[in-house]
mmCIF file of all heavy atoms in Angstrom:
data_model
loop_
_atom_site.group_PDB
_atom_site.id
_atom_site.type_symbol
_atom_site.label_atom_id
_atom_site.label_comp_id
_atom_site.label_asym_id
_atom_site.label_seq_id
_atom_site.Cartn_x
_atom_site.Cartn_y
_atom_site.Cartn_z
ATOM 1 N N LEU P 1 161.839 10.482 214.134
ATOM 2 C CA LEU P 1 160.741 11.168 214.797
ATOM 3 C C LEU P 1 159.859 11.948 213.836
ATOM 4 O O LEU P 1 158.990 12.683 214.254
ATOM 5 C CB LEU P 1 161.289 12.121 215.867
ATOM 6 C CG LEU P 1 161.972 11.427 217.044
ATOM 7 C CD1 LEU P 1 162.498 12.469 218.006
ATOM 8 C CD2 LEU P 1 161.032 10.479 217.751
ATOM 9 N N LYS P 2 160.099 11.780 212.552
ATOM 10 C CA LYS P 2 159.372 12.617 211.610
ATOM 11 C C LYS P 2 157.883 12.294 211.607
ATOM 12 O O LYS P 2 157.049 13.176 211.595
ATOM 13 C CB LYS P 2 159.943 12.436 210.209
ATOM 14 C CG LYS P 2 159.289 13.365 209.189
ATOM 15 C CD LYS P 2 159.996 13.289 207.853
ATOM 16 C CE LYS P 2 159.392 14.244 206.855
ATOM 17 N NZ LYS P 2 160.054 14.222 205.563
ATOM 18 N N TRP P 3 157.556 11.005 211.619
ATOM 19 C CA TRP P 3 156.142 10.648 211.563
ATOM 20 C C TRP P 3 155.701 10.176 212.945
ATOM 21 O O TRP P 3 156.001 9.079 213.365
ATOM 22 C CB TRP P 3 155.916 9.538 210.518
ATOM 23 C CG TRP P 3 156.414 9.964 209.199
ATOM 24 C CD1 TRP P 3 157.459 9.452 208.499
ATOM 25 C CD2 TRP P 3 155.927 11.051 208.414
ATOM 26 N NE1 TRP P 3 157.642 10.138 207.348
ATOM 27 C CE2 TRP P 3 156.719 11.115 207.250
ATOM 28 C CE3 TRP P 3 154.893 11.975 208.582
ATOM 29 C CZ2 TRP P 3 156.502 12.071 206.269
ATOM 30 C CZ3 TRP P 3 154.684 12.918 207.600
ATOM 31 C CH2 TRP P 3 155.483 12.951 206.456
ATOM 32 N N THR P 4 155.015 11.028 213.643
ATOM 33 C CA THR P 4 154.671 10.730 215.020
ATOM 34 C C THR P 4 153.216 11.058 215.280
ATOM 35 O O THR P 4 152.463 11.381 214.378
ATOM 36 C CB THR P 4 155.575 11.521 215.973
ATOM 37 O OG1 THR P 4 155.502 12.903 215.593
ATOM 38 C CG2 THR P 4 157.010 11.054 215.856
ATOM 39 N N LYS P 5 152.815 11.034 216.567
ATOM 40 C CA LYS P 5 151.392 11.039 216.881
ATOM 41 C C LYS P 5 151.045 12.070 217.932
ATOM 42 O O LYS P 5 151.763 12.268 218.864
ATOM 43 C CB LYS P 5 150.967 9.662 217.388
ATOM 44 C CG LYS P 5 151.589 8.499 216.631
ATOM 45 C CD LYS P 5 152.442 7.680 217.543
ATOM 46 C CE LYS P 5 153.088 6.510 216.797
ATOM 47 N NZ LYS P 5 154.200 5.948 217.472
ATOM 48 N N SER P 6 149.880 12.676 217.818
ATOM 49 C CA SER P 6 149.405 13.601 218.842
ATOM 50 C C SER P 6 148.269 12.961 219.615
ATOM 51 O O SER P 6 147.783 11.902 219.265
ATOM 52 C CB SER P 6 148.900 14.897 218.200
ATOM 53 O OG SER P 6 147.671 14.673 217.591
ATOM 54 N N SER P 7 147.822 13.633 220.639
ATOM 55 C CA SER P 7 146.802 13.049 221.495
ATOM 56 C C SER P 7 145.520 12.742 220.740
ATOM 57 O O SER P 7 144.932 11.682 220.912
ATOM 58 C CB SER P 7 146.495 13.980 222.654
ATOM 59 O OG SER P 7 146.092 15.241 222.180
ATOM 60 N N PHE P 8 145.077 13.677 219.903
ATOM 61 C CA PHE P 8 143.805 13.439 219.221
ATOM 62 C C PHE P 8 143.980 12.440 218.084
ATOM 63 O O PHE P 8 143.251 11.468 217.990
ATOM 64 C CB PHE P 8 143.241 14.754 218.675
ATOM 65 C CG PHE P 8 141.750 14.695 218.542
ATOM 66 C CD1 PHE P 8 140.943 15.311 219.484
ATOM 67 C CD2 PHE P 8 141.163 14.014 217.505
ATOM 68 C CE1 PHE P 8 139.572 15.254 219.373
ATOM 69 C CE2 PHE P 8 139.792 13.952 217.385
ATOM 70 C CZ PHE P 8 138.997 14.573 218.325
ATOM 71 N N SER P 9 144.961 12.655 217.233
ATOM 72 C CA SER P 9 145.084 11.777 216.083
ATOM 73 C C SER P 9 145.715 10.452 216.427
ATOM 74 O O SER P 9 145.610 9.498 215.656
ATOM 75 C CB SER P 9 145.889 12.466 214.981
ATOM 76 O OG SER P 9 147.097 12.943 215.496
ATOM 77 N N ALA P 10 146.355 10.333 217.595
ATOM 78 C CA ALA P 10 146.875 9.034 218.014
ATOM 79 C C ALA P 10 145.739 8.044 218.220
ATOM 80 O O ALA P 10 145.950 6.845 218.249
ATOM 81 C CB ALA P 10 147.679 9.160 219.292
ATOM 82 N N LEU P 11 144.538 8.550 218.375
ATOM 83 C CA LEU P 11 143.369 7.691 218.433
ATOM 84 C C LEU P 11 143.391 6.693 217.294
ATOM 85 O O LEU P 11 143.106 5.511 217.468
ATOM 86 C CB LEU P 11 142.127 8.575 218.339
ATOM 87 C CG LEU P 11 140.840 7.933 217.834
ATOM 88 C CD1 LEU P 11 140.404 6.866 218.799
ATOM 89 C CD2 LEU P 11 139.777 8.979 217.695
ATOM 90 N N PHE P 12 143.755 7.137 216.121
ATOM 91 C CA PHE P 12 143.686 6.265 214.974
ATOM 92 C C PHE P 12 144.769 5.212 215.003
ATOM 93 O O PHE P 12 144.582 4.119 214.525
ATOM 94 C CB PHE P 12 143.756 7.097 213.700
ATOM 95 C CG PHE P 12 142.535 7.924 213.591
ATOM 96 C CD1 PHE P 12 142.537 9.216 214.042
ATOM 97 C CD2 PHE P 12 141.368 7.394 213.124
ATOM 98 C CE1 PHE P 12 141.410 9.968 214.006
ATOM 99 C CE2 PHE P 12 140.222 8.148 213.082
ATOM 100 C CZ PHE P 12 140.245 9.437 213.521
ATOM 101 N N ARG P 13 145.919 5.555 215.591
ATOM 102 C CA ARG P 13 146.919 4.514 215.747
ATOM 103 C C ARG P 13 146.396 3.473 216.728
ATOM 104 O O ARG P 13 146.678 2.296 216.585
ATOM 105 C CB ARG P 13 148.232 5.106 216.238
ATOM 106 C CG ARG P 13 148.924 5.965 215.200
ATOM 107 C CD ARG P 13 149.468 5.139 214.081
ATOM 108 N NE ARG P 13 150.743 4.576 214.416
ATOM 109 C CZ ARG P 13 151.628 4.148 213.527
ATOM 110 N NH1 ARG P 13 151.361 4.233 212.245
ATOM 111 N NH2 ARG P 13 152.761 3.640 213.902
ATOM 112 N N GLY P 14 145.628 3.911 217.718
ATOM 113 C CA GLY P 14 145.030 2.945 218.626
ATOM 114 C C GLY P 14 144.080 2.014 217.901
ATOM 115 O O GLY P 14 144.128 0.803 218.056
ATOM 116 N N LEU P 15 143.227 2.588 217.077
ATOM 117 C CA LEU P 15 142.292 1.776 216.304
ATOM 118 C C LEU P 15 143.030 0.862 215.327
ATOM 119 O O LEU P 15 142.608 -0.249 215.052
ATOM 120 C CB LEU P 15 141.354 2.701 215.520
ATOM 121 C CG LEU P 15 140.313 3.474 216.311
ATOM 122 C CD1 LEU P 15 139.657 4.520 215.428
ATOM 123 C CD2 LEU P 15 139.272 2.533 216.856
ATOM 124 N N GLN P 16 144.163 1.358 214.807
ATOM 125 C CA GLN P 16 144.857 0.639 213.751
ATOM 126 C C GLN P 16 145.953 -0.288 214.268
ATOM 127 O O GLN P 16 146.608 -0.981 213.496
ATOM 128 C CB GLN P 16 145.469 1.641 212.770
ATOM 129 C CG GLN P 16 144.417 2.471 212.081
ATOM 130 C CD GLN P 16 144.882 3.866 211.784
ATOM 131 O OE1 GLN P 16 145.985 4.270 212.152
ATOM 132 N NE2 GLN P 16 144.045 4.650 211.137
ATOM 133 N N LEU P 17 146.161 -0.291 215.598
ATOM 134 C CA LEU P 17 147.272 -1.032 216.172
ATOM 135 C C LEU P 17 147.256 -2.502 215.765
ATOM 136 O O LEU P 17 148.206 -3.006 215.183
ATOM 137 C CB LEU P 17 147.222 -0.915 217.701
ATOM 138 C CG LEU P 17 148.226 -1.775 218.451
ATOM 139 C CD1 LEU P 17 149.635 -1.272 218.170
ATOM 140 C CD2 LEU P 17 147.930 -1.756 219.938
ATOM 141 N N LEU P 18 146.159 -3.201 216.090
ATOM 142 C CA LEU P 18 146.118 -4.617 215.776
ATOM 143 C C LEU P 18 146.006 -4.856 214.277
ATOM 144 O O LEU P 18 146.536 -5.832 213.749
ATOM 145 C CB LEU P 18 144.953 -5.280 216.509
ATOM 146 C CG LEU P 18 145.153 -5.398 218.023
ATOM 147 C CD1 LEU P 18 143.933 -6.045 218.664
ATOM 148 C CD2 LEU P 18 146.390 -6.215 218.333
ATOM 149 N N ALA P 19 145.320 -3.956 213.583
ATOM 150 C CA ALA P 19 145.228 -4.096 212.132
ATOM 151 C C ALA P 19 146.610 -4.056 211.505
ATOM 152 O O ALA P 19 146.931 -4.824 210.602
ATOM 153 C CB ALA P 19 144.360 -2.984 211.557
ATOM 154 N N ARG P 20 147.472 -3.171 212.010
ATOM 155 C CA ARG P 20 148.841 -3.086 211.508
ATOM 156 C C ARG P 20 149.599 -4.371 211.798
ATOM 157 O O ARG P 20 150.309 -4.913 210.964
ATOM 158 C CB ARG P 20 149.544 -1.902 212.156
ATOM 159 C CG ARG P 20 150.965 -1.691 211.684
ATOM 160 C CD ARG P 20 151.748 -0.815 212.649
ATOM 161 N NE ARG P 20 151.880 -1.501 213.935
ATOM 162 C CZ ARG P 20 152.447 -0.959 214.987
ATOM 163 N NH1 ARG P 20 152.899 0.269 214.949
ATOM 164 N NH2 ARG P 20 152.536 -1.643 216.121
ATOM 165 N N ASP P 21 149.442 -4.899 213.038
ATOM 166 C CA ASP P 21 150.170 -6.097 213.418
ATOM 167 C C ASP P 21 149.712 -7.313 212.631
ATOM 168 O O ASP P 21 150.500 -8.239 212.381
ATOM 169 C CB ASP P 21 149.989 -6.361 214.913
ATOM 170 C CG ASP P 21 150.683 -5.308 215.764
ATOM 171 O OD1 ASP P 21 151.592 -4.651 215.222
ATOM 172 O OD2 ASP P 21 150.316 -5.143 216.941
ATOM 173 N N LEU P 22 148.424 -7.319 212.241
ATOM 174 C CA LEU P 22 147.894 -8.442 211.478
ATOM 175 C C LEU P 22 148.097 -8.295 209.974
ATOM 176 O O LEU P 22 147.821 -9.219 209.218
ATOM 177 C CB LEU P 22 146.393 -8.590 211.763
ATOM 178 C CG LEU P 22 146.025 -8.985 213.208
ATOM 179 C CD1 LEU P 22 144.526 -8.881 213.401
ATOM 180 C CD2 LEU P 22 146.513 -10.376 213.524
ATOM 181 N N ASN P 23 148.590 -7.138 209.547
ATOM 182 C CA ASN P 23 148.716 -6.846 208.127
ATOM 183 C C ASN P 23 149.839 -7.662 207.501
ATOM 184 O O ASN P 23 151.010 -7.501 207.842
ATOM 185 C CB ASN P 23 149.000 -5.354 207.950
ATOM 186 C CG ASN P 23 149.077 -4.957 206.483
ATOM 187 O OD1 ASN P 23 148.798 -5.762 205.607
ATOM 188 N ND2 ASN P 23 149.462 -3.716 206.249
ATOM 189 N N PRO P 24 149.555 -8.545 206.564
ATOM 190 C CA PRO P 24 150.609 -9.367 205.965
ATOM 191 C C PRO P 24 151.532 -8.573 205.062
ATOM 192 O O PRO P 24 152.623 -9.032 204.731
ATOM 193 C CB PRO P 24 149.814 -10.410 205.154
ATOM 194 C CG PRO P 24 148.514 -9.737 204.855
ATOM 195 C CD PRO P 24 148.225 -8.866 206.041
ATOM 196 N N TRP P 25 151.106 -7.347 204.652
ATOM 197 C CA TRP P 25 151.934 -6.513 203.790
ATOM 198 C C TRP P 25 152.571 -5.385 204.572
ATOM 199 O O TRP P 25 152.877 -4.325 204.041
ATOM 200 C CB TRP P 25 151.099 -5.943 202.654
ATOM 201 C CG TRP P 25 150.388 -7.002 201.882
ATOM 202 C CD1 TRP P 25 150.907 -7.823 200.949
ATOM 203 C CD2 TRP P 25 149.007 -7.351 201.999
ATOM 204 N NE1 TRP P 25 149.946 -8.674 200.476
ATOM 205 C CE2 TRP P 25 148.761 -8.404 201.096
ATOM 206 C CE3 TRP P 25 147.954 -6.880 202.798
ATOM 207 C CZ2 TRP P 25 147.527 -8.996 200.958
ATOM 208 C CZ3 TRP P 25 146.721 -7.474 202.661
ATOM 209 C CH2 TRP P 25 146.519 -8.515 201.754
ATOM 210 N N ARG P 26 152.756 -5.579 205.863
ATOM 211 C CA ARG P 26 153.202 -4.538 206.772
ATOM 212 C C ARG P 26 154.510 -3.910 206.300
ATOM 213 O O ARG P 26 155.450 -4.595 205.911
ATOM 214 C CB ARG P 26 153.395 -5.156 208.153
ATOM 215 C CG ARG P 26 153.833 -4.203 209.224
ATOM 216 C CD ARG P 26 153.854 -4.967 210.525
ATOM 217 N NE ARG P 26 154.393 -4.168 211.604
ATOM 218 C CZ ARG P 26 154.510 -4.632 212.835
ATOM 219 N NH1 ARG P 26 154.124 -5.850 213.121
ATOM 220 N NH2 ARG P 26 155.011 -3.870 213.773
ATOM 221 N N VAL P 27 154.557 -2.574 206.343
ATOM 222 C CA VAL P 27 155.782 -1.865 205.985
ATOM 223 C C VAL P 27 156.431 -1.340 207.244
ATOM 224 O O VAL P 27 155.859 -1.353 208.322
ATOM 225 C CB VAL P 27 155.479 -0.682 205.028
ATOM 226 C CG1 VAL P 27 154.845 -1.178 203.755
ATOM 227 C CG2 VAL P 27 154.582 0.352 205.711
ATOM 228 N N ASN P 28 157.669 -0.865 207.104
ATOM 229 C CA ASN P 28 158.400 -0.386 208.259
ATOM 230 C C ASN P 28 157.750 0.838 208.868
ATOM 231 O O ASN P 28 157.286 1.721 208.169
ATOM 232 C CB ASN P 28 159.841 -0.046 207.866
ATOM 233 C CG ASN P 28 160.641 -1.300 207.565
ATOM 234 O OD1 ASN P 28 160.326 -2.369 208.057
ATOM 235 N ND2 ASN P 28 161.664 -1.161 206.743
ATOM 236 N N ASP P 29 157.717 0.882 210.180
ATOM 237 C CA ASP P 29 157.222 2.022 210.935
ATOM 238 C C ASP P 29 158.420 2.703 211.566
ATOM 239 O O ASP P 29 159.089 2.123 212.398
ATOM 240 C CB ASP P 29 156.253 1.523 212.017
ATOM 241 C CG ASP P 29 155.604 2.654 212.786
ATOM 242 O OD1 ASP P 29 156.260 3.708 212.945
ATOM 243 O OD2 ASP P 29 154.461 2.481 213.251
ATOM 244 N N PRO P 30 158.749 3.953 211.178
ATOM 245 C CA PRO P 30 159.951 4.596 211.692
ATOM 246 C C PRO P 30 159.977 4.684 213.209
ATOM 247 O O PRO P 30 161.004 4.482 213.824
ATOM 248 C CB PRO P 30 159.897 6.003 211.057
ATOM 249 C CG PRO P 30 159.039 5.850 209.852
ATOM 250 C CD PRO P 30 158.049 4.785 210.190
ATOM 251 N N ILE P 31 158.833 4.998 213.834
ATOM 252 C CA ILE P 31 158.812 5.101 215.289
ATOM 253 C C ILE P 31 159.071 3.753 215.917
ATOM 254 O O ILE P 31 159.825 3.609 216.880
ATOM 255 C CB ILE P 31 157.460 5.653 215.755
ATOM 256 C CG1 ILE P 31 157.383 7.132 215.416
ATOM 257 C CG2 ILE P 31 157.254 5.449 217.249
ATOM 258 C CD1 ILE P 31 158.336 7.988 216.216
ATOM 259 N N GLU P 32 158.439 2.701 215.366
ATOM 260 C CA GLU P 32 158.614 1.382 215.934
ATOM 261 C C GLU P 32 160.064 0.935 215.789
ATOM 262 O O GLU P 32 160.660 0.385 216.716
ATOM 263 C CB GLU P 32 157.680 0.384 215.230
ATOM 264 C CG GLU P 32 157.783 -1.025 215.803
ATOM 265 C CD GLU P 32 156.878 -1.983 215.067
ATOM 266 O OE1 GLU P 32 156.787 -1.881 213.842
ATOM 267 O OE2 GLU P 32 156.272 -2.830 215.737
ATOM 268 N N ASN P 33 160.650 1.173 214.627
ATOM 269 C CA ASN P 33 162.048 0.816 214.438
ATOM 270 C C ASN P 33 162.942 1.575 215.394
ATOM 271 O O ASN P 33 163.914 1.044 215.929
ATOM 272 C CB ASN P 33 162.464 1.110 212.989
ATOM 273 C CG ASN P 33 161.756 0.200 212.001
ATOM 274 O OD1 ASN P 33 161.247 -0.848 212.385
ATOM 275 N ND2 ASN P 33 161.708 0.613 210.745
ATOM 276 N N PHE P 34 162.614 2.850 215.616
ATOM 277 C CA PHE P 34 163.395 3.659 216.549
ATOM 278 C C PHE P 34 163.328 3.054 217.949
ATOM 279 O O PHE P 34 164.337 2.921 218.634
ATOM 280 C CB PHE P 34 162.837 5.077 216.569
ATOM 281 C CG PHE P 34 163.539 6.007 217.524
ATOM 282 C CD1 PHE P 34 164.858 6.342 217.323
ATOM 283 C CD2 PHE P 34 162.866 6.525 218.614
ATOM 284 C CE1 PHE P 34 165.501 7.210 218.191
ATOM 285 C CE2 PHE P 34 163.510 7.380 219.483
ATOM 286 C CZ PHE P 34 164.824 7.730 219.273
ATOM 287 N N ASN P 35 162.118 2.632 218.369
ATOM 288 C CA ASN P 35 161.974 2.043 219.696
ATOM 289 C C ASN P 35 162.774 0.758 219.807
ATOM 290 O O ASN P 35 163.465 0.517 220.791
ATOM 291 C CB ASN P 35 160.495 1.724 219.982
ATOM 292 C CG ASN P 35 159.658 2.980 220.114
ATOM 293 O OD1 ASN P 35 160.198 4.058 220.271
ATOM 294 N ND2 ASN P 35 158.351 2.819 220.054
ATOM 295 N N ASN P 36 162.678 -0.096 218.776
ATOM 296 C CA ASN P 36 163.320 -1.393 218.852
ATOM 297 C C ASN P 36 164.834 -1.294 218.837
ATOM 298 O O ASN P 36 165.529 -2.192 219.318
ATOM 299 C CB ASN P 36 162.866 -2.267 217.670
ATOM 300 C CG ASN P 36 161.392 -2.641 217.789
ATOM 301 O OD1 ASN P 36 160.819 -2.591 218.874
ATOM 302 N ND2 ASN P 36 160.774 -2.997 216.678
ATOM 303 N N ASN P 37 165.363 -0.223 218.280
ATOM 304 C CA ASN P 37 166.807 -0.069 218.198
ATOM 305 C C ASN P 37 167.416 0.525 219.461
ATOM 306 O O ASN P 37 168.631 0.639 219.575
ATOM 307 C CB ASN P 37 167.171 0.828 217.008
ATOM 308 C CG ASN P 37 166.914 0.118 215.693
ATOM 309 O OD1 ASN P 37 166.912 -1.102 215.633
ATOM 310 N ND2 ASN P 37 166.654 0.903 214.652
ATOM 311 N N GLN P 38 166.569 0.946 220.418
ATOM 312 C CA GLN P 38 167.085 1.562 221.625
ATOM 313 C C GLN P 38 167.358 0.525 222.704
ATOM 314 O O GLN P 38 166.645 -0.467 222.833
ATOM 315 C CB GLN P 38 166.090 2.602 222.163
ATOM 316 C CG GLN P 38 165.806 3.728 221.201
ATOM 317 C CD GLN P 38 167.053 4.454 220.771
ATOM 318 O OE1 GLN P 38 167.816 4.931 221.593
ATOM 319 N NE2 GLN P 38 167.276 4.509 219.485
ATOM 320 N N GLN P 39 168.363 0.773 223.499
ATOM 321 C CA GLN P 39 168.654 -0.058 224.640
ATOM 322 C C GLN P 39 167.773 0.394 225.816
ATOM 323 O O GLN P 39 167.324 1.523 225.865
ATOM 324 C CB GLN P 39 170.137 0.073 225.015
ATOM 325 C CG GLN P 39 171.077 -0.407 223.909
ATOM 326 C CD GLN P 39 170.866 -1.867 223.587
ATOM 327 O OE1 GLN P 39 170.720 -2.688 224.486
ATOM 328 N NE2 GLN P 39 170.857 -2.200 222.299
#
């Protein structure tokens, strides 16, 4: 949970969402990994 998002700055994750998914050099996202590891 160290690197997370607030209402205002989460805007940029919205803008960057597809760019991240299309990024061929994509690195691990701690929040995403946390979500995927949960039941």
Side-chain angles (χ1 to χ4, degrees):
L1 294 178
K2 184 173 182 179
W3 303 113
T4 53
K5 319 118 181 162
S6 74
S7 57
F8 206 102
S9 52
L11 156 64
F12 293 95
R13 291 290 277 201
L15 289 169
Q16 297 147 356
L17 173 67
L18 289 179
R20 181 198 65 184
D21 292 339
L22 294 171
N23 183 7
W25 305 282
R26 181 175 174 180
V27 300
N28 289 335
D29 184 329
I31 287 292
E32 182 181 40
N33 293 341
F34 179 65
N35 292 345
N36 292 339
N37 289 335
Q38 299 303 305
Q39 298 299 317

